[in-house]
Coordinates of all heavy atoms in Angstrom, one line a residue:
V1 N 101.0 -90.7 -107.5 CA 100.0 -91.4 -108.4 C 99.3 -92.5 -107.6 O 100.0 -93.3 -107.0 CB 100.7 -91.9 -109.7 CG1 99.7 -92.7 -110.6 CG2 101.4 -90.8 -110.4
T2 N 98.0 -92.5 -107.7 CA 97.3 -93.6 -107.1 C 96.5 -94.3 -108.2 O 96.3 -93.8 -109.3 CB 96.3 -93.0 -106.1 OG1 95.4 -92.1 -106.7 CG2 97.0 -92.3 -105.0
F3 N 96.1 -95.5 -107.8 CA 95.4 -96.4 -108.8 C 94.1 -96.9 -108.1 O 94.0 -98.1 -107.8 CB 96.3 -97.5 -109.2 CG 97.5 -97.1 -109.9 CD1 98.6 -96.8 -109.2 CD2 97.5 -97.0 -111.3 CE1 99.8 -96.3 -109.9 CE2 98.6 -96.5 -112.0 CZ 99.7 -96.2 -111.3
P4 N 93.1 -96.0 -107.8 CA 91.9 -96.5 -107.1 C 91.2 -97.6 -107.8 O 90.7 -98.5 -107.1 CB 91.1 -95.2 -107.0 CG 91.6 -94.3 -108.0 CD 93.0 -94.6 -108.2
A5 N 91.0 -97.6 -109.1 CA 90.3 -98.6 -109.7 C 91.0 -100.0 -109.6 O 90.3 -101.0 -109.4 CB 90.1 -98.3 -111.2
Q6 N 92.3 -100.0 -109.7 CA 93.1 -101.2 -109.7 C 93.2 -101.8 -108.3 O 93.5 -102.9 -108.1 CB 94.5 -101.0 -110.3 CG 94.4 -100.8 -111.8 CD 94.3 -99.3 -112.1 OE1 93.9 -98.5 -111.3 NE2 94.7 -99.0 -113.4
T7 N 93.1 -100.9 -107.3 CA 93.4 -101.4 -105.9 C 92.1 -101.4 -105.0 O 92.2 -101.8 -103.8 CB 94.4 -100.4 -105.2 OG1 93.9 -99.1 -105.2 CG2 95.7 -100.5 -106.0
K8 N 91.0 -101.0 -105.5 CA 89.8 -100.9 -104.7 C 89.4 -102.2 -104.0 O 88.8 -102.2 -103.0 CB 88.6 -100.3 -105.4 CG 88.1 -101.2 -106.5 CD 86.9 -100.5 -107.2 CE 86.4 -101.4 -108.4 NZ 85.4 -100.7 -109.2
N9 N 89.7 -103.4 -104.7 CA 89.2 -104.6 -104.1 C 90.3 -105.3 -103.3 O 90.1 -106.5 -102.9 CB 88.8 -105.6 -105.3 CG 87.5 -105.0 -105.9 OD1 86.6 -104.5 -105.2 ND2 87.4 -105.2 -107.2
L10 N 91.5 -104.7 -103.1 CA 92.6 -105.3 -102.4 C 92.4 -104.9 -100.9 O 92.1 -103.8 -100.5 CB 93.9 -104.8 -102.9 CG 94.3 -105.1 -104.3 CD1 95.6 -104.5 -104.7 CD2 94.2 -106.5 -104.6
T11 N 92.7 -105.9 -100.0 CA 92.7 -105.6 -98.6 C 94.0 -104.9 -98.3 O 95.0 -104.9 -99.1 CB 92.7 -106.9 -97.8 OG1 94.0 -107.6 -98.1 CG2 91.5 -107.8 -98.1
D12 N 94.1 -104.2 -97.2 CA 95.3 -103.5 -96.8 C 96.5 -104.4 -96.7 O 97.6 -104.1 -97.2 CB 95.1 -102.8 -95.4 CG 94.2 -101.6 -95.5 OD1 93.9 -101.1 -96.6 OD2 93.8 -101.1 -94.5
D13 N 96.3 -105.7 -96.2 CA 97.4 -106.6 -96.1 C 97.9 -107.0 -97.5 O 99.1 -107.2 -97.8 CB 96.9 -107.9 -95.3 CG 96.8 -107.6 -93.9 OD1 97.4 -106.6 -93.4 OD2 96.1 -108.4 -93.2
H14 N 96.9 -107.3 -98.4 CA 97.3 -107.7 -99.8 C 98.0 -106.5 -100.5 O 99.1 -106.7 -101.2 CB 96.1 -108.1 -100.6 CG 96.4 -108.7 -101.9 ND1 95.6 -108.5 -103.0 CD2 97.5 -109.4 -102.4 CE1 96.2 -109.1 -104.1 NE2 97.3 -109.6 -103.7
L15 N 97.6 -105.3 -100.3 CA 98.2 -104.2 -100.9 C 99.6 -104.0 -100.4 O 100.6 -103.8 -101.1 CB 97.4 -102.9 -100.7 CG 97.8 -101.6 -101.4 CD1 98.0 -101.8 -102.9 CD2 96.9 -100.5 -101.1
R16 N 99.7 -104.1 -99.1 CA 101.0 -104.0 -98.4 C 102.0 -105.0 -98.9 O 103.2 -104.8 -99.2 CB 100.9 -104.1 -96.9 CG 102.1 -103.7 -96.1 CD 102.0 -103.7 -94.6 NE 100.8 -104.0 -93.9 CZ 99.6 -103.3 -93.8 NH1 99.5 -102.2 -94.3 NH2 98.6 -103.6 -93.1
A17 N 101.5 -106.3 -99.0 CA 102.4 -107.4 -99.5 C 102.8 -107.1 -100.9 O 104.0 -107.4 -101.3 CB 101.7 -108.7 -99.4
T18 N 101.9 -106.6 -101.8 CA 102.2 -106.3 -103.2 C 103.3 -105.2 -103.2 O 104.2 -105.4 -104.0 CB 100.9 -105.9 -103.9 OG1 100.0 -106.9 -103.9 CG2 101.2 -105.5 -105.3
V19 N 103.2 -104.2 -102.4 CA 104.1 -103.1 -102.4 C 105.5 -103.6 -102.0 O 106.5 -103.4 -102.6 CB 103.7 -101.9 -101.5 CG1 104.8 -101.0 -101.3 CG2 102.5 -101.2 -102.2
Q20 N 105.5 -104.4 -100.9 CA 106.8 -105.0 -100.4 C 107.4 -105.9 -101.5 O 108.7 -105.8 -101.7 CB 106.6 -105.7 -99.1 CG 106.2 -104.8 -98.0 CD 105.8 -105.5 -96.7 OE1 105.4 -106.7 -96.7 NE2 105.7 -104.8 -95.6
H21 N 106.7 -106.7 -102.1 CA 107.2 -107.6 -103.1 C 107.7 -106.8 -104.3 O 108.8 -107.1 -104.9 CB 106.2 -108.6 -103.5 CG 106.7 -109.7 -104.5 ND1 107.2 -110.9 -104.0 CD2 106.8 -109.7 -105.8 CE1 107.6 -111.6 -105.0 NE2 107.4 -110.9 -106.1
G22 N 106.9 -105.8 -104.7 CA 107.3 -104.9 -105.8 C 108.6 -104.2 -105.5 O 109.4 -104.0 -106.4
E23 N 108.7 -103.7 -104.3 CA 110.0 -103.0 -103.9 C 111.2 -103.9 -104.0 O 112.2 -103.5 -104.5 CB 109.9 -102.4 -102.5 CG 108.9 -101.2 -102.4 CD 108.8 -100.7 -101.0 OE1 108.9 -101.5 -100.0 OE2 108.4 -99.5 -100.8
R24 N 111.0 -105.1 -103.5 CA 112.2 -106.1 -103.6 C 112.5 -106.4 -105.1 O 113.7 -106.4 -105.5 CB 111.8 -107.4 -102.9 CG 111.9 -107.3 -101.4 CD 111.8 -108.7 -100.7 NE 110.6 -109.4 -101.0 CZ 109.5 -109.3 -100.4 NH1 109.4 -108.4 -99.4 NH2 108.4 -110.0 -100.7
K25 N 111.5 -106.5 -105.9 CA 111.7 -106.8 -107.3 C 112.3 -105.6 -108.0 O 113.3 -105.7 -108.8 CB 110.3 -107.1 -108.0 CG 110.4 -107.6 -109.4 CD 109.0 -108.0 -109.9 CE 108.6 -109.3 -109.4 NZ 108.6 -110.4 -110.4
A26 N 112.0 -104.4 -107.6 CA 112.6 -103.2 -108.2 C 114.1 -103.2 -107.8 O 114.9 -102.9 -108.7 CB 111.9 -101.9 -107.6
H27 N 114.4 -103.5 -106.6 CA 115.8 -103.5 -106.2 C 116.6 -104.6 -107.0 O 117.8 -104.4 -107.4 CB 116.0 -103.8 -104.7 CG 115.7 -102.5 -103.9 ND1 116.6 -101.5 -103.7 CD2 114.6 -102.1 -103.3 CE1 116.1 -100.6 -103.0 NE2 114.8 -100.9 -102.7
D28 N 115.9 -105.7 -107.3 CA 116.6 -106.8 -108.1 C 117.0 -106.2 -109.5 O 117.9 -106.7 -110.1 CB 115.6 -108.0 -108.3 CG 115.5 -108.8 -107.0 OD1 116.2 -108.6 -106.1 OD2 114.5 -109.6 -107.0
Y29 N 116.3 -105.2 -110.0 CA 116.5 -104.6 -111.3 C 117.3 -103.3 -111.2 O 117.3 -102.5 -112.1 CB 115.3 -104.4 -112.1 CG 114.6 -105.7 -112.5 CD1 113.4 -106.1 -112.0 CD2 115.3 -106.6 -113.4 CE1 112.8 -107.3 -112.4 CE2 114.7 -107.8 -113.8 CZ 113.5 -108.1 -113.3 OH 112.9 -109.3 -113.7
D30 N 118.0 -103.1 -110.0 CA 118.8 -101.9 -109.8 C 117.9 -100.6 -109.8 O 118.5 -99.6 -110.2 CB 120.0 -101.8 -110.7 CG 120.9 -103.0 -110.5 OD1 121.1 -103.4 -109.4 OD2 121.4 -103.5 -111.5
I31 N 116.7 -100.7 -109.5 CA 115.8 -99.6 -109.4 C 115.8 -99.2 -107.9 O 115.2 -99.9 -107.1 CB 114.4 -99.9 -109.9 CG1 114.5 -100.3 -111.4 CG2 113.5 -98.7 -109.7 CD1 113.2 -100.9 -111.9
V32 N 116.5 -98.1 -107.5 CA 116.8 -97.9 -106.1 C 116.3 -96.5 -105.6 O 116.1 -96.4 -104.4 CB 118.3 -98.0 -105.8 CG1 118.8 -99.5 -106.0 CG2 119.1 -97.1 -106.6
Y33 N 116.1 -95.6 -106.5 CA 115.7 -94.3 -106.0 C 114.1 -94.3 -105.8 O 113.4 -94.9 -106.5 CB 116.0 -93.2 -107.0 CG 117.5 -93.0 -107.2 CD1 118.2 -93.4 -108.3 CD2 118.3 -92.5 -106.1 CE1 119.5 -93.2 -108.5 CE2 119.6 -92.4 -106.2 CZ 120.3 -92.7 -107.4 OH 121.6 -92.6 -107.5
E34 N 113.7 -93.6 -104.7 CA 112.3 -93.6 -104.3 C 111.4 -93.3 -105.4 O 110.4 -94.0 -105.6 CB 112.2 -92.6 -103.2 CG 110.8 -92.6 -102.5 CD 110.6 -91.7 -101.3 OE1 111.7 -91.5 -100.7 OE2 109.5 -91.3 -101.1
D35 N 111.6 -92.2 -106.2 CA 110.7 -91.9 -107.3 C 110.7 -93.0 -108.4 O 109.6 -93.3 -108.9 CB 111.2 -90.6 -108.0 CG 110.9 -89.4 -107.1 OD1 110.1 -89.5 -106.2 OD2 111.5 -88.3 -107.4
D36 N 111.8 -93.6 -108.6 CA 111.8 -94.7 -109.6 C 111.1 -95.9 -109.1 O 110.3 -96.6 -109.8 CB 113.3 -95.1 -110.0 CG 114.0 -94.0 -110.7 OD1 113.4 -93.1 -111.3 OD2 115.3 -94.0 -110.5
I37 N 111.2 -96.2 -107.8 CA 110.5 -97.3 -107.2 C 109.0 -97.1 -107.3 O 108.2 -97.9 -107.6 CB 111.0 -97.6 -105.7 CG1 112.4 -98.1 -105.7 CG2 110.0 -98.6 -105.0 CD1 113.0 -98.1 -104.4
R38 N 108.6 -95.8 -107.0 CA 107.2 -95.4 -107.1 C 106.7 -95.7 -108.5 O 105.6 -96.2 -108.7 CB 107.0 -94.0 -106.7 CG 105.6 -93.6 -106.5 CD 105.4 -92.1 -106.0 NE 106.1 -92.0 -104.7 CZ 107.1 -91.2 -104.5 NH1 107.6 -90.4 -105.4 NH2 107.6 -91.1 -103.3
R39 N 107.5 -95.3 -109.5 CA 107.0 -95.5 -110.9 C 106.9 -97.0 -111.2 O 106.0 -97.5 -111.8 CB 108.0 -94.9 -111.8 CG 108.0 -93.4 -111.8 CD 108.7 -92.8 -113.0 NE 110.2 -92.9 -113.0 CZ 111.0 -92.7 -114.0 NH1 110.5 -92.4 -115.2 NH2 112.3 -92.8 -113.9
F40 N 107.9 -97.8 -110.7 CA 107.9 -99.2 -110.9 C 106.6 -99.8 -110.3 O 106.0 -100.7 -110.9 CB 109.2 -99.8 -110.3 CG 109.2 -101.3 -110.5 CD1 109.6 -101.9 -111.7 CD2 108.9 -102.2 -109.5 CE1 109.7 -103.2 -111.9 CE2 108.9 -103.6 -109.7 CZ 109.3 -104.1 -110.9
L41 N 106.3 -99.4 -109.1 CA 105.1 -99.9 -108.4 C 103.8 -99.6 -109.2 O 102.9 -100.4 -109.2 CB 105.0 -99.4 -107.0 CG 106.1 -99.9 -106.0 CD1 106.0 -99.2 -104.7 CD2 105.9 -101.4 -105.8
G42 N 103.8 -98.5 -109.9 CA 102.7 -98.2 -110.8 C 102.6 -99.3 -111.8 O 101.4 -99.7 -112.1
Y43 N 103.7 -99.7 -112.4 CA 103.6 -100.8 -113.4 C 103.2 -102.1 -112.8 O 102.5 -102.9 -113.4 CB 105.0 -100.9 -114.1 CG 105.2 -99.9 -115.1 CD1 105.9 -98.7 -114.7 CD2 104.8 -100.0 -116.4 CE1 106.1 -97.7 -115.7 CE2 105.0 -99.0 -117.3 CZ 105.6 -97.8 -116.9 OH 105.8 -96.8 -117.8
V44 N 103.6 -102.4 -111.5 CA 103.2 -103.6 -110.8 C 101.7 -103.6 -110.6 O 101.0 -104.6 -110.8 CB 103.9 -103.7 -109.5 CG1 103.3 -104.8 -108.6 CG2 105.4 -104.0 -109.7
V45 N 101.1 -102.4 -110.3 CA 99.7 -102.3 -110.0 C 98.9 -102.6 -111.3 O 97.9 -103.3 -111.4 CB 99.3 -101.0 -109.4 CG1 97.8 -100.7 -109.5 CG2 99.8 -100.8 -108.0
V46 N 99.4 -102.0 -112.4 CA 98.7 -102.1 -113.7 C 98.9 -103.5 -114.3 O 98.0 -104.1 -114.8 CB 99.2 -101.0 -114.7 CG1 98.7 -101.2 -116.1 CG2 98.8 -99.6 -114.2
Y47 N 100.2 -104.0 -114.3 CA 100.5 -105.3 -115.0 C 100.6 -106.5 -114.1 O 100.7 -107.6 -114.6 CB 101.8 -105.1 -115.8 CG 101.6 -104.1 -117.0 CD1 102.1 -102.8 -116.8 CD2 100.9 -104.4 -118.1 CE1 102.0 -101.9 -117.9 CE2 100.7 -103.5 -119.1 CZ 101.3 -102.2 -119.0 OH 101.1 -101.3 -120.0
G48 N 100.7 -106.3 -112.8 CA 100.8 -107.4 -111.9 C 102.3 -107.7 -111.6 O 103.2 -107.3 -112.2
L49 N 102.4 -108.5 -110.5 CA 103.8 -108.8 -110.0 C 104.6 -109.7 -111.0 O 105.8 -109.8 -110.9 CB 103.7 -109.6 -108.7 CG 103.4 -108.6 -107.5 CD1 103.0 -109.4 -106.3 CD2 104.6 -107.7 -107.2
T50 N 103.9 -110.3 -112.0 CA 104.6 -111.1 -113.0 C 104.9 -110.3 -114.2 O 105.1 -110.9 -115.3 CB 103.8 -112.4 -113.3 OG1 102.5 -112.0 -113.8 CG2 103.7 -113.3 -112.1
L51 N 104.9 -109.0 -114.1 CA 105.1 -108.2 -115.3 C 106.4 -108.5 -116.0 O 106.5 -108.2 -117.2 CB 105.1 -106.7 -114.9 CG 106.3 -106.1 -114.2 CD1 106.2 -104.6 -114.2 CD2 106.5 -106.6 -112.8
D52 N 107.4 -109.1 -115.4 CA 108.7 -109.4 -116.0 C 108.8 -110.8 -116.5 O 109.9 -111.2 -116.9 CB 109.8 -109.1 -115.0 CG 109.6 -109.8 -113.7 OD1 108.5 -110.4 -113.4 OD2 110.6 -109.9 -112.9
S53 N 107.7 -111.5 -116.5 CA 107.8 -112.9 -116.9 C 106.6 -113.4 -117.8 O 106.5 -114.6 -118.0 CB 107.9 -113.8 -115.6 OG 106.8 -113.7 -114.8
R54 N 105.8 -112.5 -118.2 CA 104.7 -112.9 -119.1 C 104.9 -112.5 -120.5 O 105.5 -111.5 -120.8 CB 103.4 -112.3 -118.5 CG 103.0 -112.8 -117.2 CD 101.6 -112.4 -116.7 NE 100.9 -111.3 -117.5 CZ 100.8 -110.1 -117.1 NH1 101.2 -109.7 -115.9 NH2 100.1 -109.2 -117.9
P55 N 104.5 -113.3 -121.4 CA 104.6 -113.0 -122.9 C 104.0 -111.7 -123.2 O 104.6 -110.9 -124.0 CB 104.0 -114.1 -123.6 CG 103.9 -115.3 -122.6 CD 103.9 -114.7 -121.3
Q56 N 102.9 -111.3 -122.6 CA 102.2 -110.1 -122.9 C 103.0 -108.8 -122.5 O 102.8 -107.7 -123.1 CB 100.8 -110.0 -122.2 CG 99.9 -111.1 -122.4 CD 100.1 -112.2 -121.3 OE1 101.2 -112.7 -121.2 NE2 99.1 -112.5 -120.6
T57 N 103.9 -109.0 -121.6 CA 104.7 -107.9 -121.1 C 106.2 -108.1 -121.3 O 107.0 -107.6 -120.6 CB 104.4 -107.6 -119.6 OG1 104.6 -108.8 -118.9 CG2 103.0 -107.0 -119.4
Q58 N 106.5 -108.8 -122.4 CA 107.9 -109.1 -122.7 C 108.7 -107.8 -122.9 O 109.8 -107.7 -122.5 CB 108.0 -109.9 -124.0 CG 109.4 -110.3 -124.4 CD 110.1 -111.2 -123.3 OE1 109.4 -112.1 -122.8 NE2 111.3 -110.9 -123.0
W59 N 108.0 -106.8 -123.4 CA 108.7 -105.5 -123.5 C 109.2 -104.9 -122.2 O 110.3 -104.3 -122.1 CB 107.8 -104.5 -124.2 CG 106.5 -104.1 -123.5 CD1 105.4 -104.8 -123.5 CD2 106.3 -103.0 -122.6 NE1 104.4 -104.2 -122.7 CE2 105.0 -103.1 -122.1 CE3 107.1 -102.0 -122.2 CZ2 104.5 -102.2 -121.3 CZ3 106.6 -101.0 -121.3 CH2 105.3 -101.2 -120.9
I60 N 108.5 -105.2 -121.1 CA 108.9 -104.8 -119.8 C 110.1 -105.6 -119.4 O 111.1 -105.0 -118.9 CB 107.8 -104.9 -118.8 CG1 106.6 -103.9 -119.1 CG2 108.3 -104.7 -117.3 CD1 105.4 -104.1 -118.2
A61 N 110.1 -106.9 -119.6 CA 111.2 -107.8 -119.2 C 112.4 -107.4 -120.0 O 113.5 -107.3 -119.4 CB 110.8 -109.2 -119.4
D62 N 112.3 -107.1 -121.3 CA 113.4 -106.7 -122.1 C 114.1 -105.5 -121.5 O 115.4 -105.5 -121.5 CB 113.0 -106.5 -123.5 CG 112.5 -107.7 -124.3 OD1 112.8 -108.8 -123.8 OD2 111.9 -107.5 -125.3
I63 N 113.4 -104.5 -121.1 CA 114.0 -103.3 -120.5 C 114.6 -103.6 -119.1 O 115.7 -103.2 -118.8 CB 113.0 -102.2 -120.4 CG1 112.6 -101.8 -121.9 CG2 113.5 -101.0 -119.6 CD1 111.4 -100.8 -121.9
L64 N 113.8 -104.3 -118.3 CA 114.3 -104.5 -116.9 C 115.6 -105.4 -116.9 O 116.4 -105.2 -116.0 CB 113.2 -105.2 -116.1 CG 112.0 -104.3 -115.8 CD1 110.9 -105.1 -115.0 CD2 112.4 -103.1 -115.0
H65 N 115.7 -106.3 -117.8 CA 116.9 -107.2 -117.8 C 118.1 -106.6 -118.4 O 119.2 -107.3 -118.4 CB 116.5 -108.5 -118.5 CG 115.6 -109.4 -117.7 ND1 114.3 -109.6 -118.0 CD2 115.8 -110.1 -116.6 CE1 113.7 -110.4 -117.1 NE2 114.6 -110.7 -116.2
R66 N 118.0 -105.4 -118.9 CA 119.3 -104.8 -119.4 C 120.2 -104.5 -118.3 O 119.9 -104.0 -117.2 CB 118.9 -103.5 -120.2 CG 118.1 -103.8 -121.5 CD 117.9 -102.6 -122.3 NE 119.1 -101.9 -122.6 CZ 119.2 -100.9 -123.4 NH1 118.0 -100.4 -123.9 NH2 120.3 -100.3 -123.7
H67 N 121.5 -104.7 -118.6 CA 122.6 -104.5 -117.6 C 123.4 -103.2 -117.9 O 124.3 -102.9 -117.2 CB 123.5 -105.7 -117.4 CG 122.7 -106.9 -116.9 ND1 122.3 -107.0 -115.6 CD2 122.3 -108.0 -117.5 CE1 121.7 -108.1 -115.4 NE2 121.7 -108.8 -116.6
D68 N 123.1 -102.6 -119.1 CA 123.9 -101.5 -119.6 C 123.3 -100.2 -119.2 O 123.9 -99.1 -119.5 CB 124.1 -101.6 -121.1 CG 122.7 -101.5 -121.8 OD1 121.7 -102.1 -121.3 OD2 122.7 -100.9 -122.9
I69 N 122.2 -100.2 -118.5 CA 121.6 -98.9 -118.0 C 121.2 -99.0 -116.6 O 121.0 -100.1 -116.0 CB 120.3 -98.6 -118.9 CG1 119.3 -99.8 -118.9 CG2 120.7 -98.2 -120.3 CD1 118.0 -99.5 -119.7
D70 N 121.0 -97.9 -115.9 CA 120.7 -97.9 -114.5 C 119.1 -97.9 -114.3 O 118.4 -97.8 -115.3 CB 121.3 -96.8 -113.7 CG 120.8 -95.4 -114.1 OD1 119.7 -95.2 -114.7 OD2 121.6 -94.4 -113.9
G71 N 118.7 -98.0 -113.1 CA 117.3 -98.1 -112.8 C 116.5 -96.9 -113.3 O 115.3 -97.1 -113.8
T72 N 117.0 -95.7 -113.2 CA 116.3 -94.5 -113.6 C 116.1 -94.6 -115.1 O 115.0 -94.3 -115.6 CB 117.0 -93.2 -113.2 OG1 117.1 -93.2 -111.8 CG2 116.3 -92.0 -113.8
V73 N 117.1 -94.9 -115.9 CA 116.9 -95.0 -117.3 C 116.0 -96.2 -117.7 O 115.2 -96.0 -118.6 CB 118.3 -95.3 -118.0 CG1 118.2 -95.5 -119.5 CG2 119.2 -94.1 -117.7
K74 N 116.0 -97.3 -117.0 CA 115.0 -98.3 -117.2 C 113.6 -97.8 -117.1 O 112.7 -98.0 -117.9 CB 115.2 -99.5 -116.2 CG 116.5 -100.3 -116.5 CD 116.7 -101.4 -115.5 CE 118.0 -102.1 -115.8 NZ 118.3 -103.2 -114.9
M75 N 113.4 -97.0 -116.0 CA 112.0 -96.5 -115.8 C 111.7 -95.5 -116.9 O 110.5 -95.4 -117.3 CB 111.9 -95.9 -114.4 CG 112.0 -96.9 -113.3 SD 111.0 -98.4 -113.5 CE 109.4 -97.7 -113.7
D76 N 112.6 -94.7 -117.3 CA 112.4 -93.7 -118.4 C 112.0 -94.5 -119.6 O 111.1 -94.1 -120.4 CB 113.6 -92.8 -118.6 CG 113.9 -91.9 -117.5 OD1 113.0 -91.6 -116.6 OD2 115.0 -91.3 -117.5
F77 N 112.7 -95.6 -119.9 CA 112.4 -96.3 -121.1 C 111.0 -97.0 -121.0 O 110.3 -97.0 -122.0 CB 113.4 -97.5 -121.3 CG 114.7 -97.0 -121.9 CD1 115.0 -95.7 -122.3 CD2 115.7 -97.9 -122.2 CE1 116.2 -95.3 -122.8 CE2 116.9 -97.6 -122.7 CZ 117.2 -96.2 -123.1
L78 N 110.6 -97.5 -119.9 CA 109.3 -98.0 -119.7 C 108.2 -96.9 -119.9 O 107.3 -97.2 -120.6 CB 109.1 -98.6 -118.3 CG 109.9 -99.9 -118.0 CD1 109.6 -100.3 -116.5 CD2 109.5 -101.0 -118.9
D79 N 108.5 -95.8 -119.3 CA 107.5 -94.7 -119.5 C 107.4 -94.2 -121.0 O 106.3 -94.0 -121.5 CB 107.9 -93.5 -118.7 CG 107.7 -93.7 -117.2 OD1 107.1 -94.7 -116.8 OD2 108.3 -92.9 -116.4
D80 N 108.6 -94.2 -121.7 CA 108.6 -93.8 -123.1 C 107.8 -94.8 -123.9 O 107.1 -94.4 -124.8 CB 110.0 -93.6 -123.6 CG 110.8 -92.4 -123.0 OD1 110.1 -91.5 -122.4 OD2 112.0 -92.4 -123.2
Y81 N 108.0 -96.1 -123.6 CA 107.3 -97.1 -124.4 C 105.8 -97.0 -124.2 O 105.1 -97.1 -125.1 CB 107.8 -98.5 -123.9 CG 107.3 -99.6 -124.8 CD1 108.0 -100.1 -125.8 CD2 106.0 -100.1 -124.5 CE1 107.5 -101.2 -126.6 CE2 105.5 -101.2 -125.3 CZ 106.2 -101.7 -126.3 OH 105.7 -102.7 -127.1
E82 N 105.4 -96.8 -122.9 CA 104.0 -96.7 -122.6 C 103.4 -95.5 -123.4 O 102.3 -95.5 -123.9 CB 103.8 -96.5 -121.1 CG 103.8 -97.8 -120.4 CD 102.4 -98.3 -120.2 OE1 101.6 -97.7 -119.6 OE2 102.3 -99.4 -120.7
L83 N 104.1 -94.3 -123.3 CA 103.6 -93.1 -124.0 C 103.5 -93.3 -125.5 O 102.5 -92.9 -126.1 CB 104.6 -92.0 -123.7 CG 104.2 -90.6 -124.2 CD1 102.8 -90.2 -123.7 CD2 105.2 -89.6 -123.8
S84 N 104.5 -94.0 -126.1 CA 104.5 -94.2 -127.5 C 103.3 -95.2 -127.8 O 102.6 -94.9 -128.8 CB 105.8 -94.8 -127.9 OG 105.8 -95.2 -129.3
A85 N 103.1 -96.2 -127.1 CA 102.0 -97.1 -127.3 C 100.7 -96.4 -127.2 O 99.8 -96.7 -128.0 CB 102.1 -98.3 -126.3
A86 N 100.5 -95.6 -126.2 CA 99.3 -94.8 -126.1 C 99.0 -93.9 -127.3 O 97.9 -93.8 -127.7 CB 99.3 -94.0 -124.8
K87 N 100.1 -93.3 -127.8 CA 99.9 -92.4 -128.9 C 99.5 -93.2 -130.2 O 98.7 -92.8 -131.0 CB 101.2 -91.7 -129.2 CG 101.5 -90.5 -128.3 CD 102.8 -89.8 -128.6 CE 103.0 -88.7 -127.7 NZ 104.3 -88.0 -128.0
D88 N 100.1 -94.4 -130.3 CA 99.8 -95.3 -131.4 C 98.3 -95.8 -131.4 O 97.8 -96.1 -132.5 CB 100.7 -96.5 -131.5 CG 102.1 -96.1 -131.8 OD1 102.3 -95.0 -132.3 OD2 103.0 -97.0 -131.6
Q89 N 97.7 -95.8 -130.2 CA 96.3 -96.3 -130.1 C 95.3 -95.2 -130.4 O 94.1 -95.5 -130.6 CB 96.1 -96.9 -128.7 CG 96.9 -98.1 -128.4 CD 96.6 -98.7 -127.0 OE1 95.9 -98.1 -126.2 NE2 97.2 -99.8 -126.7
R90 N 95.8 -94.0 -130.6 CA 94.8 -92.9 -130.9 C 94.4 -92.9 -132.3 O 94.8 -93.3 -133.2 CB 95.4 -91.6 -130.6 CG 95.4 -91.3 -129.1 CD 95.7 -89.9 -128.9 NE 97.1 -89.8 -128.3 CZ 97.7 -88.6 -128.2 NH1 97.2 -87.5 -128.7 NH2 98.9 -88.6 -127.7

């Protein structure tokens, strides 16, 4: 998955730094599998690196801070929430 609209104004260095920071943040939340990290980076691109600390994205923080589920389940929950929210907007 690519995000051309969200990344078109970023320099290669800024994009690289964002990916590296996002990968570290993913690991902090026990998101360790490559596909899950890729999904997490998609959220970073859409919501920003502060996705886990802003009131507007509290739903993301609530899922990421859970200790009773692994990284794959966290990403599944994020995806499910997004899908549900998109359906509600129709």
Side-chain angles (χ1 to χ4, degrees):
V1 176
T2 60
F3 297 89
Q6 293 89 341
T7 59
K8 69 180 178 186
N9 294 324
L10 299 179
T11 65
D12 287 346
D13 287 340
H14 187 213
L15 186 56
R16 187 174 5 282
T18 299
V19 168
Q20 290 170 343
H21 188 89
E23 287 176 334
R24 285 191 301 273
K25 191 174 281 247
H27 284 280
D28 289 345
Y29 291 115
D30 297 321
I31 300 167
V32 295
Y33 295 112
E34 186 176 333
D35 287 342
D36 296 334
I37 292 169
R38 188 176 301 116
R39 290 194 289 165
F40 181 80
L41 291 173
Y43 284 93
V44 167
V45 168
V46 172
Y47 295 104
L49 284 168
T50 58
L51 75 166
D52 56 345
S53 61
R54 294 190 348 253
Q56 309 91 298
T57 54
Q58 183 62 45
W59 62 275
I60 294 174
D62 290 345
I63 293 169
L64 293 175
H65 287 107
R66 290 185 58 177
H67 297 289
D68 61 324
I69 56 176
D70 67 22
T72 297
V73 175
K74 288 177 184 183
M75 294 312 306
D76 290 344
F77 282 1
L78 289 177
D79 291 345
D80 289 347
Y81 186 96
E82 279 268 298
L83 183 59
S84 176
K87 285 181 181 178
D88 289 345
Q89 291 179 0
R90 285 195 250 164

